[in-house]
Each structure stands twice: as C-alpha cells, then as structure tokens.
Amino acid sequence: MIEKDTPPQVNHGPLSGIRVLDLSRILAGPTCTQLMGDYGADIIKVEKPGLGDDTRAWGPPYVTGPDDMPTAESAYYLSANRNKRSFAIDITTPKGAETVRQLATQCDIMVENFKVGGLAKYDLDYDAIAAVNPAIIYCAISGFGQTGPNAHLPGYDLLAQAFGGIMSLTGAPDGEPMKVGVAVADVVCGLYACTAVLAALQHRTRTGEGQYIDIGLADTQIAWLINNGTNYLTSGQSPKRLGNEHPNIVPYQVFATIDGHIVVAAGNDAQYARFCGLIGRDDLASHADYLTNMSRVKHRDTLIPILANEIAKLTKAELVAKMEQHGVPGGPINTLPEVFDSEQVISREMKIVMPHASAKSGAVDLIGNPVKFSKTPVSYRYSPPTCGEHSDDITAELLTNINSSATKSE
C-alpha cells in the first residue's frame, strides 16, 4: 500500500502537457480519461451542476463522511475518476455550451459519450468543436457507433455483452447466459478509446491534423471475442458455453481440491505431462487419447473427470506448491480480501491511498495503475474530485483571459 500525500506528486508522465476535455460519464469514457490522467494528462471533467457523473449515485457503498454518514461519493465513481479536475457546467444553456467551446480551444483532446447526435443541438459536436480548434482529437464513444441501424440505441455494458455475444459464451453449459462479473465491455471500450486517442495524437504530432474517432461499445466487445470469435468464423460452428473450461486448451480450468478451488492452466504438452506426474498419473501423459493438446480437446469429456478425481484427493496448498515446484501454471482462486492482502499486490503497488476531504479518515483506498514506466512514471496527483471542485481554479486558469479579450473586443 502506497500512501499518496499532499501536495500532489510531480508530474513526469508521458502525457504531461496534454489537456483533455472530458464530457464522458459512467465507465467507458471515464476509464479512458483516467488512464490518460494517470499518464500525466490534465483532465478537465465537465459535470452537470449539483448532480455530476451518473455513477456518483451508483451505490452503496459510499465514502463515509466525518459525521459517519454516507457522502455523495460512491465507490463506483471513485473507481474511474482520479487524476481529474471537475468543472460544473450546464452545457444545455447557451452560456454553458459557449464555456465548453472556449475550453476546447485550449485542449488537445475531447472525449464524450452522449447519444448519437446528442451534442449537436448544443453546438458541441465534432464539426462545431473543430471549427474553433481544428487540431483537436475528438473521441465519441457510443453504444453502437455513429452509423448502422442500431446507432440510435442506448449503450450500457449489459446490452453490449448481450448483443456482442460474450454472454452466449459465459456460464455453465447447462445454465443461463451469464455476464462477466465486472463491466468489462465498458472497461475494454475505454482501453480501445485510449489507444485510439494516443494513435491520433501521434498522427497529429507528425502532421498537425486533428481528427474524429468513432468508437462503439458493441464493436469493441465483438473485437475482444478474440479466439472464440475466430473459432466460429473459421469453423462455422457456434461455440457452446464451457463454464470454466477453455475451448482450445485442456486442462485449462477450475478444479475442486479437499479444501477449496484452484485453477490449472497447462498451456502445452510438456506442462500437461509434468502435471500428470505431480498428481501421480504418469499414465495419462502417455495415453494415446491425451498425448497432445489436440487429442485432449477431443477427449476432454473422459479426461477431465479423471483429473478431477485425482485433484480432489489433495489440499489446495499442497497442489499449488507442487505445481509451482514442477513449473505447471496454476494457482488459488482468491477472494478480493486475499487479492488486496497478498504480498504480490502490495509489492506491485496495486492498492493505493489518496487524500480525500469528504472522507472521515481523510483518505480513500483505490486500485493502482498497473503500468510501470522506467522513465515517465505514473503519478497520482488528484483524488477523484467532488462535483465542481475545481470550477474556480479552471476558470481563473483557462477562461479569464479569453473572457477579458472578448470584453475588450466588444
């Protein structure tokens, strides 16, 4: 656990000097902009006065305040909004929309996730923003992208997982389709958006050109069907749900031990042979039906029950130790307390603490950034802000001169 004390850390990030105008909310957009913020960009988060990001209300749990009562800061909101400054603006008013356009003239990137066409009525669409800042990189995240028959439909993680097919692959073979336990479609969409913005930034560095980026939640979910999607495209056969089994590797799944569950991930024939040895079944390594991964996939229905029976005779700690000793990938299935208490997670600084004025303890626990730069380290400069927390600072820093110039020209 790494304590992040005030004053904010020095920003040596690779995106220091880049400013992002963030009109996104919920998770996909905020994931994208938080990542850029961690990399050093100055993120100006535009929020509706008094309400802010939708996820502020997505609780419990909420941060506990000095009066031992829940504050307006939900854990969900905290998860994707550090390293941002919050500016409360009502973009539906002419004055608010004009303020956003003024901010856009001083930003390198703009990210939004409104419904298709939703910002055009306020003159905050790409054409309007590019008219005042042709070099801006404008990233629009929506449920189904800006084109196609579904473009008008709303975009939520659950809808993307359903439409894009991942739910048809997730869950027990005889159970109902199952969503992934976190909003992974949103998160991966945010990662795609971030890499797209960085690629566009590189293009602008070379050419001076800004551009428009159209990213659909459903499109990105389909993109990360990866091997399962390509299995279907290659074979023409719709994959069936396999629970915790893998469609292309055996054994690669969950098994029950005497005192809990573990995973075994034997990714090649040599690892499989060593695993058979450590459970005392060398005969399974030389058996013609199980000799190669291709044959094991074909005969999984007979092999897996045999392996499960042998594994059930061992304790979790015993089996994990043997796998580590023999170089077989696998390990325990951790609960979240076990995750965040593990020495590995602590040593990798994947749990951090940041100051927060609303919290009774004066700080909030957050998940750290996983990227370890050797020259341009991630920094944690701003705790997830309260709604409008930085409005005055941003006005004084970025808008005062513009307004003064406008008044003089009049």
Side-chain angles (χ1 to χ4, degrees):
M1 181 178 67
I2 303 298
E3 298 267 352
K4 306 299 176 186
D5 299 321
T6 51
Q9 292 185 337
V10 175
N11 183 2
H12 294 299
L15 293 183
S16 59
I18 297 295
R19 183 174 295 127
V20 180
L21 187 57
D22 182 7
L23 270 70
S24 70
R25 65 265 192 240
I26 304 181
L27 191 55
T31 294
C32 169
T33 53
Q34 174 170 272
L35 189 53
M36 289 190 285
D38 284 356
Y39 292 166
D42 177 20
I43 313 296
I44 298 176
K45 182 177 179 70
V46 173
E47 300 194 76
K48 187 175 183 179
L51 295 174
D53 193 304
D54 299 38
T55 60
R56 290 183 183 276
W58 287 11
Y62 295 91
V63 173
T64 300
D67 58 358
D68 290 321
M69 297 296 291
T71 66
E73 312 305 306
S74 72
Y76 199 119
Y77 166 78
L78 295 181
S79 71
N81 286 288
R82 69 164 168 258
N83 279 337
K84 303 179 184 182
R85 298 191 289 168
S86 175
F87 194 174
I89 310 171
D90 185 354
I91 68 169
T92 67
T93 67
K95 181 179 179 181
E98 176 58 24
T99 298
V100 172
R101 286 189 292 274
Q102 290 177 356
L103 287 172
T105 65
Q106 302 185 70
C107 291
D108 301 281
I109 298 158
M110 179 169 165
V111 179
E112 59 95 351
N113 62 349
F114 283 74
K115 291 180 181 179
V116 172
L119 288 179
K121 57 187 173 183
Y122 308 121
D123 286 332
L124 296 176
D125 57 321
Y126 174 66
D127 289 341
I129 297 300
V132 297
N133 184 358
I136 201 162
I137 295 162
Y138 187 114
C139 181
I141 300 171
S142 59
F144 291 88
Q146 303 293 310
T147 59
N150 291 352
H152 67 287
L153 296 177
Y156 284 95
D157 177 88
L158 181 62
L159 302 182
Q161 290 198 40
F163 179 88
I166 192 65
M167 289 179 68
S168 75
L169 306 175
T170 307
D174 57 351
E176 66 180 8
M178 190 71 63
K179 72 178 182 67
V180 180
V182 297
V184 65
D186 270 331
V187 171
V188 177
C189 182
L191 299 180
Y192 270 104
C194 185
T195 60
V197 167
L198 297 182
L201 196 61
Q202 172 65 10
H203 173 77
R204 194 186 71 177
T205 298
R206 292 199 314 265
T207 68
E209 293 178 333
Q211 64 179 296
Y212 181 70
I213 301 171
D214 167 12
I215 293 186
L217 195 63
D219 294 345
T220 57
Q221 198 269 265
I222 292 168
W224 57 263
L225 289 174
I226 310 297
N227 59 297
N228 266 308
T230 310
N231 286 350
Y232 163 70
L233 294 175
T234 301
S235 69
Q237 298 179 357
S238 182
K240 292 180 171 51
R241 289 193 297 280
L242 294 173
N244 287 310
E245 297 182 28
H246 194 287
N248 303 111
I249 308 172
V250 173
Y252 193 100
Q253 64 182 78
V254 174
F255 289 98
T257 66
I258 290 173
D259 57 348
H261 290 83
I262 54 91
V263 292
V264 176
N268 58 49
D269 295 337
Q271 291 173 354
Y272 167 71
R274 292 198 298 272
F275 183 71
C276 290
L278 69 88
I279 62 172
R281 291 299 304 267
D282 286 302
D283 60 304
L284 296 175
S286 57
H287 194 291
D289 286 348
Y290 314 133
L291 193 59
T292 67
N293 183 68
M294 182 183 297
S295 60
R296 291 193 296 277
V297 170
K298 181 178 179 180
H299 296 286
R300 73 164 76 226
D301 290 344
T302 57
L303 174 60
I304 294 304
I306 298 171
L307 294 178
N309 183 64
E310 299 297 337
I311 292 169
K313 301 174 183 178
L314 304 169
T315 66
K316 184 166 61 172
E318 181 182 7
L319 184 56
V320 169
K322 285 186 174 183
M323 286 193 292
E324 184 172 343
Q325 179 183 353
H326 290 84
V328 177
I333 298 174
N334 289 329
T335 63
L336 294 194
E338 290 170 328
V339 169
F340 289 107
D341 287 343
S342 75
E343 292 182 4
Q344 176 66 22
V345 168
I346 293 170
S347 70
R348 295 291 290 175
E349 302 180 7
M350 287 307 299
K351 176 183 175 183
I352 64 172
V353 179
M354 295 191 73
H356 201 291
S358 297
K360 179 180 180 180
S361 65
V364 291
D365 293 341
L366 300 173
I367 299 172
N369 188 295
V371 179
K372 315 301 180 186
F373 291 105
S374 65
K375 300 295 184 181
T376 55
V378 163
S379 60
Y380 303 102
R381 306 175 309 282
Y382 296 101
S383 190
T386 56
C387 184
E389 180 178 344
H390 303 98
S391 296
D392 291 343
D393 293 343
I394 294 169
T395 297
E397 178 184 339
L398 301 177
L399 297 174
T400 302
N401 291 338
I402 292 177
N403 292 333
S404 297
S405 299
T407 301
K408 290 177 182 178
S409 65
E410 291 173 0

